[in-house]
Amino acid sequence: MGVPFKQIVVYLDGSESSMTAIMYGIKLAEKHDAKLTAAYVVNTRALSELVKAGIFVTVERDEYQRDLQLDADRYLRHASRLAQQKQVLIETVKLEGTVHVVMKELLKSTKADLLVLGGVTDIRSRREELASETDRMLRTSPCPVLVVRDDDDIWLEFEA
């Protein structure tokens, strides 16, 4: 089809596959002269459920949430540095809430025409599959979704 992308959103979750996805997203944005947004969502819903289930007490949840906030900042800074290396403008967004819901809102508000996700991790059970935020984003995204497989070639091409 050769349709150029205008607004690309890459979802980061701190996994190696999401780092591969941001590199791929940067290369795509460069090729299509598209706007690029890197988004990290702190999953506050999951944290609240851990407290409800008695796995975390509130103090532990708050501490863990602080750690997740710092992780988010670190990964978004890394995404910015990678984009800078390729002279690609990038907007970074840190959000909180239920991942697939917040991401869907972001995709609509930015009028994204492509969502880039890291490779879907091996899911061990049907229940895990239903709970997977990546899987939910795949199924509920208002725009096309590109899943980037974890691939050394992408890293090598990016560094070239």
Side-chain angles (χ1 to χ4, degrees):
M1 284 227 284
V3 178
F5 299 112
K6 291 178 186 70
Q7 176 66 54
I8 299 169
V9 175
V10 181
Y11 170 69
L12 299 177
D13 62 8
S15 66
E16 193 171 309
S17 63
S18 76
M19 290 295 101
T20 305
I22 190 63
M23 286 183 213
Y24 201 86
I26 290 165
K27 295 297 278 180
L28 273 176
E30 184 180 40
K31 182 177 172 33
H32 290 269
D33 196 27
K35 288 184 180 158
L36 180 64
T37 302
Y40 193 111
V41 181
V42 176
N43 193 343
T44 52
R45 180 175 153 257
L47 290 172
S48 296
E49 286 180 8
L50 289 171
V51 171
K52 235 190 296 183
I55 295 167
F56 274 7
V57 292
T58 309
V59 174
E60 288 173 311
R61 180 202 59 203
D62 294 346
E63 201 173 295
Y64 192 60
Q65 188 167 341
R66 253 190 317 279
D67 289 346
L68 290 175
Q69 294 281 354
L70 293 171
D71 280 351
D73 293 337
R74 194 170 68 243
Y75 288 110
L76 291 169
R77 270 196 311 274
H78 186 62
S80 290
R81 281 194 299 272
L82 290 172
Q84 238 173 357
Q85 276 179 31
K86 299 295 177 190
Q87 278 106 39
V88 170
L89 288 177
I90 188 170
E91 180 184 354
T92 58
V93 182
K94 181 173 65 171
L95 302 163
E96 289 185 13
T98 304
V99 178
H100 72 279
V101 173
V102 172
M103 283 301 294
K104 187 175 182 179
E105 289 167 8
L106 175 68
L107 293 167
K108 285 179 177 174
S109 70
T110 59
K111 294 179 174 55
D113 46 20
L114 183 68
L115 169 62
V116 181
L117 298 174
V120 183
T121 53
D122 290 332
I123 292 171
R124 292 174 287 286
S125 70
R126 186 75 188 125
R127 184 167 179 231
E128 223 178 286
E129 185 178 335
L130 292 171
S132 162
E133 288 297 336
T134 305
D135 187 64
R136 284 183 172 163
M137 281 187 279
L138 276 169
R139 290 187 279 119
T140 61
S141 173
C143 65
V145 179
L146 174 66
V147 177
V148 179
R149 299 260 175 256
D150 227 349
D151 189 345
D152 290 341
D153 291 347
I154 293 169
W155 290 68
L156 293 171
E157 186 183 321
F158 188 85
E159 295 302 325

